[in-house]
Amino acid sequence: MHMIEDKADRSAIGLHNDYHFITHWLVRGTVEEVSAILGDAAALPDWWPSVYLDVDVLQQGDERGVGKVVDLYTKGWLPYTLRWQFRVTEVRADGFTLVARGDFVGRGIWTFEQDGEWVRITYDWKLSAEKPLLRYGSFLMKPIFAANHRWAMARGEESLQLEIARRRAKSAEERARIPVPPSPTTTSSVPLLASIAGVVVVGYLMMKFSSQKRQGRS
């Protein structure tokens, strides 16, 4: 398994609640396998349980999945959960596009590219955080939410590779030897959250003091 670091668009760094994440995965498999797994929303809690706690398909969409509406209850390593829905607006041979609403609003584009025995996967995710904790505490929460997203996507890459291996297993014994996917976090992240928030506040106050000092000299 090869993990490529998730990168946030530099334009997303600021005091507002908008984000742009571009995530790259590299997994051993085929585009067809990846499409089948990521396209089966109802199975997300089975193979990506660290993030997807509960999923309910509200509308199936057409024969290609266009128009599918999915209700989701998700979390990352931080001690908060998100309620949101997505609708599939486009299905292509090399991926699909969705639009989201709820605790965050935005659009996501999955793209798959075969590279020998590997699949290069890109997820382009633009969103605005609408959950009050994330929206009104945007200055404090922005870097924390970004770190939470990177954690969640890293677990997704790991879990996807395990799911491909499970589906390829030729016997129950072989399947039993495959590790289970990472589980949801159970320990409280509040001390870590408070520490990160403290660092951000101190940094902000130092920047503000430095700015006022420069203005006083001018």
Side-chain angles (χ1 to χ4, degrees), residues 77-79 144 147-148 151 187-199:
W77 58 273
L78 290 174
I144 300 170
N148 193 56
W151 180 92
T187 56
S188 174
S189 302
V190 171
L192 177 60
L193 186 62
S195 298
I196 296 174
V199 170

Side-chain angles (χ1 to χ4, degrees), residues 34-35 55-56 64 66 69 139 157 200:
V34 170
S35 296
V55 173
D56 185 16
R64 296 169 57 241
V66 176
V69 177
F139 170 70
E157 183 185 32
V200 172

Side-chain angles (χ1 to χ4, degrees), residues 95-147:
F96 60 93
T97 300
L98 59 88
V99 294
R101 66 180 183 181
D103 282 344
F104 45 71
V105 176
R107 69 100 181 103
I109 302 174
W110 286 98
T111 304
F112 316 134
E113 178 186 1
Q114 196 71 48
D115 185 3
E117 62 180 359
W118 300 87
V119 181
R120 296 187 179 277
I121 303 169
T122 301
Y123 187 50
D124 187 330
W125 187 213
K126 283 187 176 181
L127 71 152
S128 295
E130 298 299 324
K131 189 180 180 75
L133 172 67
L134 304 178
R135 182 176 185 180
Y136 299 112
S138 59
F139 170 70
L140 292 176
M141 293 302 298
K142 199 171 195 66
I144 300 170
F145 184 66

Side-chain angles (χ1 to χ4, degrees), residues 58-100:
L58 304 180
Q59 298 179 27
Q60 292 292 342
D62 65 15
E63 67 280 358
R64 296 169 57 241
V66 176
K68 178 186 293 184
V69 177
V70 182
D71 187 74
L72 310 106
Y73 181 49
T74 63
K75 75 178 298 294
W77 58 273
L78 290 174
Y80 65 81
T81 56
L82 296 167
R83 289 276 187 186
W84 57 290
Q85 293 183 0
F86 73 74
R87 177 186 294 272
V88 177
T89 58
E90 180 187 23
V91 176
R92 311 176 308 278
D94 67 341
F96 60 93
T97 300
L98 59 88
V99 294

